[in-house]
């Protein structure tokens, strides 16, 4: 059975509304920086800041919890401390948000306790919400008006090249270097620890994506080697795939 990744990942790359959980008026914080970047990049959908300590952020009404937002939300950006993230993802699932990205670090990359927290998130995701991350910079899609942190200076014009990266740093450096070489991107995804959406899921999506003609990536490791190899054989029949193994 062929999974329709275009429909499944639509709220990730083309969200009509975004809740930033852990938003802040302080742009030195991840939640504040990401919120300011989305505004300056020109995101056209509805933005909902979520923070129980704030009443208004960047002129927008701020909600104590994501469940307090009265409208539907397509996509959530989570920038709260690691110990709170599983509860926040649970709230997003209850709100029927279909996808989220978790900027927060402090999971399997640092400790056994962090690994257990990450496993909790993966279990919640399996019940009906797709997760990018944790420990990532998120998603850049110029056609969707969404950009990663820090990516406010990325091109607003879409191109044919996609780039997936387990490294947040390379997810910023590669498109920035590409701009200087005249390369434009359809999608860039910093997916970090890949507790849910991983390199195989992204390969399937980009294979189906009509905007993407060339797939590139920085890979440190894969979750399912046999599935990944089989996908590479299939996808490369239709689109060039260029991977840098770290």
């Amino acid at each position: 059975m062929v999974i329709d990744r275009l429909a499944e990942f639509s709220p990730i790359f083309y969200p009509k509304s975004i809740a930033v959980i852990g938003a802040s008026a302080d742009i030195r914080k991840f939640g504040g920086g990401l919120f300011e970047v989305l505004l300056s990049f020109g995101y056209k959908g509805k933005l909902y800041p979520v923070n129980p300590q704030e009443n208004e952020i960047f002129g927008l009404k701020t909600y104590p919890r994501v469940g307090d937002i009265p409208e539907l939300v397509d996509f959530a950006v989570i920038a709260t401390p690691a110990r709170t993230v599983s509860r926040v993802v649970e709230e997003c699932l209850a709100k029927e948000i279909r996808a989220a990205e978790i900027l927060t670090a402090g999971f399997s990359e640092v400790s056994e306790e962090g690994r257990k927290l990450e496993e909790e998130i993966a279990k919640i995701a399996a019940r009906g919400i797709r997760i990018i991350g944790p420990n990532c910079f998120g998603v850049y899609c110029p056609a969707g008006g969404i950009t990663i942190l820090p990516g406010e200076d990325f091109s607003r014009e879409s191109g044919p090249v996609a780039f997936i990266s387990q490294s947040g740093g390379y997810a910023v450096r590669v498109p920035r270097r590409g701009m200087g070489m005249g390369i434009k991107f359809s999608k860039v995804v910093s997916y970090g620890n890949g507790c849910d959406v991983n390199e195989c899921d992204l390969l399937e999506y980009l294979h189906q994506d009509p905007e993407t003609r060339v797939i590139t990536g920085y890979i440190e490791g894969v979750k399912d080697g046999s599935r990944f190899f089989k996908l590479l054989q299939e996808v490369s029949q239709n689109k060039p795939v260029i991977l840098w193994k770290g």
Side-chain angles (χ1 to χ4, degrees), residues 18 20 27 29-39 47 77 79 101 103 137 147-149:
I18 301 174
V20 179
I27 63 172
K29 297 180 178 180
F30 272 113
L34 189 281
F35 205 85
E36 193 272 337
V37 162
L38 285 171
L39 288 171
L47 276 173
V77 177
E101 66 181 33
L103 304 184
F137 282 166
T147 192
I148 63 177
L149 175 70

Side-chain angles (χ1 to χ4, degrees), residues 6-17 74-75 98-99 146:
L6 294 181
E8 184 182 24
F9 285 14
S10 178
I12 295 175
F13 295 106
Y14 305 98
K16 295 181 175 62
S17 55
D74 279 345
F75 190 52
R98 292 166 56 198
I146 186 171

Side-chain angles (χ1 to χ4, degrees), residues 86 89-90 93 115-131 195-196:
S86 60
V89 174
E90 191 76 62
L93 182 64
R115 183 187 64 78
K116 291 178 181 178
L117 290 173
E118 191 172 307
E119 287 178 352
E120 287 180 25
I121 296 167
K123 289 176 182 177
I124 299 168
R127 288 161 43 208
I129 179 171
R130 299 311 313 255
I131 300 291
C195 80
D196 177 45

Side-chain angles (χ1 to χ4, degrees), residues 19-20 31 38 43 61 69 73 75 116 123 133 157 164 183 193 231:
V20 179
L38 285 171
Y43 175 68
K61 175 180 170 60
I69 300 171
V73 176
F75 190 52
K116 291 178 181 178
K123 289 176 182 177
E157 185 179 345
I164 65 173
I183 299 170
N193 297 1
L231 276 170

